[in-house]
Amino acid sequence: MLLFSTFFCHGLFAQTYTVYGVVTDGTHQALEGITVKLSNTHVFAISDAQGKFSFQLANGAYELQVNAMGFHRVKNKIVVNGKAMQLVLKLQPHSYLLNEVTIKNNAGTERRRSESLNVEVVKADFIQRNLGGSLMNTLQRLPGIKTIGIGSGQSKPLIRGLGFNRVVVIDKGIKHEGQQWGADHGLEIDQFAAEEVELIKGAASFAYGADAIGGAIHIKAPAQPAPNSFGGEVNLIGKSNNGLYGTSVRLFQRKEKLFFDGRFTYQNYGDYRVPTDTLYVYDFAVGLHKNYLRNTAGRETGIHFNTGYINEKFKSIFYLSNTFSKSGFFANAHGLEPRRVDADLHDASDRDLLMPYQKVNHFKIINRTAFSLNRHAVEFELGYQHNFRQEYNHYVNHGFMPAVYPATMTIPIDLEREFDKQVYSFNAKDQITLGKHLLQLGLNGELQDNLINGWSFLVPAFQQKSLGVYAYDKWKVSDKLLLHGAVRYDLAKLDLFRYSDWFSSETNSGSMMQLIRANDLTRNFNSLVWSLGLNYNLDLLEFKANVGKSFRMPIAKELGANGVNYHYFSYEKGDPNLNPEQSYQADFSVAFTTGKWSVKLSPFFNYFPNYIYLNPTSAHDYFYGAGNQVFEYAQSEVMRYGGETQVKYQFSKQWSTELLAEYLYAEQLSGDKKGYTLPFSPPASALFNVTYAPQKFLGSADAYFSLDYRLTARQNNIVPPERKTAGYSLFNLQAGAKLQIGQYPLNINAQLQNVFNTRYLNHTSFYRLIGLPEQGRNFVLTVKMPFNFHHH
Amino acid sequence: MKKQQLPLLFLSFILVLSACKKGNEEIDTEYPTIDVTGSAFPQQCAVIKRGEKFIFKAKLNDNVELGSVSIDVHHNFDHHNHSTEVNECNLGAVKQPVKPFLLIKDFPIPSGQKTYEMAQEVTVPADVDAGDYHFLIRLTDKTGWQTLKGLSIKIN
């Protein structure tokens, strides 16, 4: 309703001309999310990812004003005189900012002030300072963000306790597909290539599609190099715990309008070490050789190439990337299944990769084309992805599988599973400035083709088509008040394909037959979701609220799983009749900021009428489940609430302190597990930080020394098959500096993670069930050397 | 006006949270137990004869109510490991299976039981491969907690 009310009011204007502008910082980096105001009016524009903004103005004199936090105020007088014009607004940062240890720049702050959802923006320097085993590992320093650990440096995002298909990962505007497949499948993202990551906590389905029921992680396209630049950077990285070494090299060049930007990343790591010499895998004692987790070594490569054409009104950029990783699974427990290993073979080297292991390749090509036309900013994205994952293992005859692998089989004897996923995506978006309204109309389409291979079976092959359209209006009612409203409609079709066993099982009558694990199945889904929000911004106080409905259609696994997962000793059984999951969520946030204090509180409440979860039953299945416990996908009513708090205090120019805390409560209100929580509910935790940032340290600017103390509560709120987890506390140290070696700047960051080599269990780790402790003490060193070729 | 809003907002936040506090009914978080000591059979490193019958005996316990039990007997000629017992048995050499004994069977437990004495007759055919086997017992309770017991046995 409020979306369309303004369509008509602003239809006609006097003869106007376009004023184009770009907002940059002192180093010519484009600034996103900066509000540019026309003095003495209510007219404003917000700069986009390229720092661009525009106004439609009639002839006359005007004054543009930018009053962004952390920057000196800029006022710029212009005269519109019968033609379009262009200008650059260069913002000078307040000098104290250079020394402030803050992870968000002002564009992020502006973005937060104009967005009713809970948004966190982190930049490359945050990633460099807090570099973990994977991008998600790095981001979990943020309150409300956790990961589901999968052992060897892989992890899945968990936002406020929701993960898997309830969190969308967007890479350069396109939904990243791949990680949803298996439980022990990471995110194939090269964290060196991530310049800016935006995290949305809470339902964001209307803009990011159905799966964003728990939140979204948006890895932004890297900023284009400045005109007439030619340079690059070299990153070196080393980690002591798993003997990791790696490099990431970038080279870019831009003339006026054409550019290229390439990056190559390589990492090689050995088995990681834990602070224990004995583990108990289902009560069976496993001795560890020198604290090494056997066979958790791996290698990773990432290749990125971006090229495109940019001018004032139009840009078209291609992003090409390929990430590849080969990593071992802990040999004594593939998944969770205990197995005897040839310890001599495995312990001979901590860098070799033996069975079982996985190979994952993710290829992606994306084109983003954007242009502005009068009041329209139009954007198209086209993407193709190919995710190919193989799990290799010695043949083990589970259940009724033949004791000796038949020679007639065409599936390789060591290929346990293979997932082959191809995804075609298309997005279109038009952002229209209508006076005080900023209206966004969008369309997302996706086509997925999923094939399987390997001698084990869990989920059938499937095809998935989806289409969504949305409208979103941001209405600047006054300088203080912003209102948001959005509606979205989705249509989807899912086709599952028949699968029958390659071996015979014994029926009740004693005869043998090949079981049909999955039948052809077609499901159609549609849904209408909405969202309403507001921002109320005073000088020192920000308030935001958002309520909305989200939906998620059941995935192939939830509908069609019908096989034994030996990782859990479970027979997983899908339900072809599951309804799409619905969720209602209310988010609030209050932030109070003065020169020295910054306090933010973000509570939320969430209700699912039908949350889909894997329910361990009391039954065993002899026929399809080879004697294993039956785990059925089921739906139940769920209530969740919790929140995060962030408090920062700047004692002086050099000293600052920070407190980040989070709490989550989830309860199933109906069904078989009524009264229980949801699986992988993170325990309450708090992080205390003290940072010392001397103005000058050994001649270097931007030096910092920082201590993180993380306190995690015990988690007694569990649901089968979880175990209670004791609380723990951890210390991490970070330090870094920017040095000048001749004419080259050198950026050094060091971390000492888990300073006291504390033995602790992470409640949201997959290996929690077999009591596998987390990584021990780890020293991480990264060096970044940017360089420039001067040309004439 | 600015100053007055903050406490109000905090108050409303606390109200939102406290409104959700529930009367916490007790939930079962205990695993069932399998007792393979005393008169139980087989026990770790037990020897079973081909062509003969034996009685599978175990004492099952749960704090609320037992669910079901399942047994899985399969060869261990490749020396994989499901054993949950601390003491290991002397394994024979690794060998190729020809006709290994395989038994997968699940047994319901009468409802409402907290303890149950399992006693099931199992026949081992005379023509199966002799050697090392695993005897895996899986027990659930009504809630869905599962306990595994993996025993190493020999069939002679």
Side-chain angles (χ1 to χ4, degrees), chain A residues 297-321:
Chain A
R299 341 232 167 288
E300 284 174 34
T301 53
I303 300 166
H304 309 263
F305 186 77
N306 313 333
T307 183
Y309 174 88
I310 311 163
N311 70 23
E312 292 75 23
K313 284 184 139 187
F314 174 87
K315 72 168 183 182
S316 183
I317 301 173
F318 286 91
Y319 301 95
L320 197 98
S321 68

Side-chain angles (χ1 to χ4, degrees), chain A residues 521-678:
Chain A
L521 173 74
T522 298
R523 290 286 310 266
N524 288 294
F525 303 100
N526 67 81
S527 113
L528 185 72
V529 298
W530 53 269
S531 168
L532 287 171
L534 72 84
N535 289 77
Y536 191 71
N537 295 320
L538 298 168
D539 286 344
L540 301 179
L541 197 65
E542 290 168 29
F543 176 75
K544 55 169 86 174
N546 195 82
V547 289
K549 183 188 174 188
S550 287
F551 114 109
R552 179 181 74 87
M553 67 173 193
I555 58 172
K557 193 173 168 178
E558 291 162 341
L559 296 169
N562 189 12
V564 179
N565 184 353
Y566 282 94
H567 294 193
Y568 270 129
F569 291 97
S570 65
Y571 159 51
E572 291 183 12
K573 203 172 162 187
D575 178 353
N577 299 313
L578 290 174
N579 291 320
E581 198 170 81
Q582 322 239 17
S583 159
Y584 297 88
Q585 176 147 336
D587 280 284
F588 308 92
S589 169
V590 195
F592 177 73
T593 318
T594 67
K596 291 190 159 184
W597 281 97
S598 154
V599 181
K600 188 176 157 192
L601 196 64
S602 345
F604 72 93
F605 181 82
N606 181 203
Y607 169 75
F608 284 89
N610 59 342
Y611 186 94
I612 301 173
Y613 72 108
L614 188 57
N615 177 33
T617 69
S618 64
H620 286 95
D621 188 279
Y622 152 78
F623 196 37
Y624 285 93
N628 284 284
Q629 185 184 1
V630 181
F631 282 42
E632 281 173 343
Y633 281 97
Q635 299 192 301
S636 73
E637 213 181 332
V638 166
M639 167 189 76
R640 303 166 59 246
Y641 60 83
E644 298 88 42
T645 178
Q646 287 166 276
V647 180
K648 283 182 200 171
Y649 181 66
Q650 186 87 31
F651 287 100
S652 65
K653 279 185 177 173
Q654 290 87 22
W655 289 93
S656 65
T657 181
E658 189 180 19
L659 163 73
L660 309 171
E662 61 181 70
Y663 173 79
L664 171 76
Y665 181 84
E667 186 180 329
Q668 302 192 35
L669 303 176
S670 70
D672 200 34
K673 294 292 180 286
K674 187 179 172 191
Y676 286 85
T677 186
L678 291 176

